[in-house]
Each structure stands twice: as structure tokens, then as C-alpha cells.
Amino acid sequence: MNTILHRTLACTLLLAAAAASAHVVLEEPAALAGSSYRAAFRVGHGCSGSPTTAIRVFLPAGVRGAKPMPKAGWTLTIRRELLAQPYDSHGKTVREDVVEVRWTADGPASYLQDDWYDEFVLRATLPAQAGALWFRVLQSCGGSQLDWADMPAQGTSTRGMKTPAALLEVLPGGASAHAH
């Protein structure tokens, strides 16, 4: 096995063990720098027994070209912002990009009940630099919310945190691996 595959496997196993105690986590907790990444945010429970009615994902700096997956029974909205540094994508200059994706249940029949599990998915291109990426996720449950935004001051351990952000470990070696 090559070194990147070994690192990916080891990192995935470590992050999966850490994610067992978290409540909104990424299905794949590691990916190669510069690659196209399918981010599936796993929601394992509601807020204090109430069903989930909306999920908002805030994209970290450097994540580009996000395209969310529609979900039956949920309204999908995105928020874009002007970029401080435009970038080139397929011969076009990109001056604004997606910074937030929101899924909102269309009504009570679509709510994600506290006893159920589901995933909310988007695809994006990862930064060319390796390192930790933290996705803030705001989970709404009618009148209450869980703000999955806690990040360690150093490192990637979320041990002891009540509402950790979703962690993606970006590994070196994929800067030229752009795919669709």
C-alpha cells in the first residue's frame, strides 16, 4: 500500500472513533487536498427530543464550488458572497461562491424525528493545502437550536466538547485530482 493510502486509512479510523461521540459528523472524515469531495453530514438526533426542522452548513474558507444535493420534502437554499480572491474554474473567473447551504423541512411530514437518522449532502472542491477543515452546522428543531461550532484551540481533538463542529482532515497529495 502506498503512504497516502496508509495515512488516509489511519486518519479515517482515528476520526471515526472520535466521531462516535459527536452528533453531526461527516461520513468520510478525510479526503485529499485539491480533490472533489462529497460531504455527507450525518444527523443522529434532534434537539432535546424535538425533531430537526432545518440544517445550515457554513463552508470553511478555501472550499470552492459547493453544489448541494436536493432532498425530497426539504427546501434547499444557498447563500453566496463576493470573494476577496477570485479564482479560475474551467476558464471562467469566479468572483462569488457559496458560503452557506440550508435545508428546511417543507412541513411536519418531512421533519427528521429525534429517533431517526439522515444525511444532508453537498459536493465541493477542497483547498490545495492539507490541514483540518471545520464545518459549522446549525441544527434547528422548531423553537430550539444546536450550534455545532466548537473547535479546539489547537489540534483536532473534540474530546469534552458538547457541540463540536464537523471535522474534515484534508490530506496532502490530491492537488491535481480535480474531478466531477
Side-chain angles (χ1 to χ4, degrees):
M1 268 193 219
N2 68 36
T3 304
I4 291 174
L5 186 55
H6 276 246
R7 280 188 280 174
T8 301
L9 182 57
C11 187
T12 299
L13 292 173
L14 287 171
L15 291 172
S21 63
H23 304 287
V24 175
V25 297
L26 288 163
E27 176 185 36
E28 295 294 330
L32 294 176
S35 68
S36 179
Y37 174 68
R38 180 185 182 274
F41 296 89
R42 293 180 167 178
V43 178
H45 62 73
C47 312
S48 301
S50 297
T52 300
T53 58
I55 293 290
R56 289 170 58 189
V57 174
F58 299 87
L59 301 175
V63 174
R64 296 179 171 178
K67 292 187 176 192
M69 182 182 292
K71 192 170 198 50
W74 294 72
T75 298
L76 179 58
T77 55
I78 59 173
R79 184 171 59 88
R80 298 176 187 274
E81 285 185 0
L82 288 174
L83 298 171
Q85 283 292 331
Y87 65 90
D88 183 69
S89 178
H90 304 286
K92 294 182 182 177
T93 300
V94 177
R95 290 183 164 66
E96 68 174 25
D97 212 346
V98 176
V99 295
E100 178 185 328
V101 176
R102 181 182 183 128
W103 291 266
T104 305
D106 292 339
S110 298
Y111 291 174
L112 177 57
Q113 299 300 317
D114 184 52
D115 290 338
W116 300 347
Y117 149 90
D118 206 349
E119 296 178 339
F120 297 81
V121 180
L122 63 86
R123 183 192 59 78
T125 300
L126 298 177
Q129 306 83 6
L133 279 183
W134 297 92
F135 291 83
R136 176 181 169 220
V137 179
L138 185 62
Q139 179 182 11
S140 297
C141 302
S144 64
Q145 293 183 331
L146 286 171
D147 191 359
W148 302 100
D150 293 343
M151 294 176 255
Q154 292 183 314
T156 58
S157 175
T158 58
R159 185 177 305 257
M161 292 183 177
K162 290 185 75 169
T163 53
L167 170 63
L168 175 65
E169 190 66 38
V170 179
L171 303 172
S176 63
H178 179 79
H180 294 281

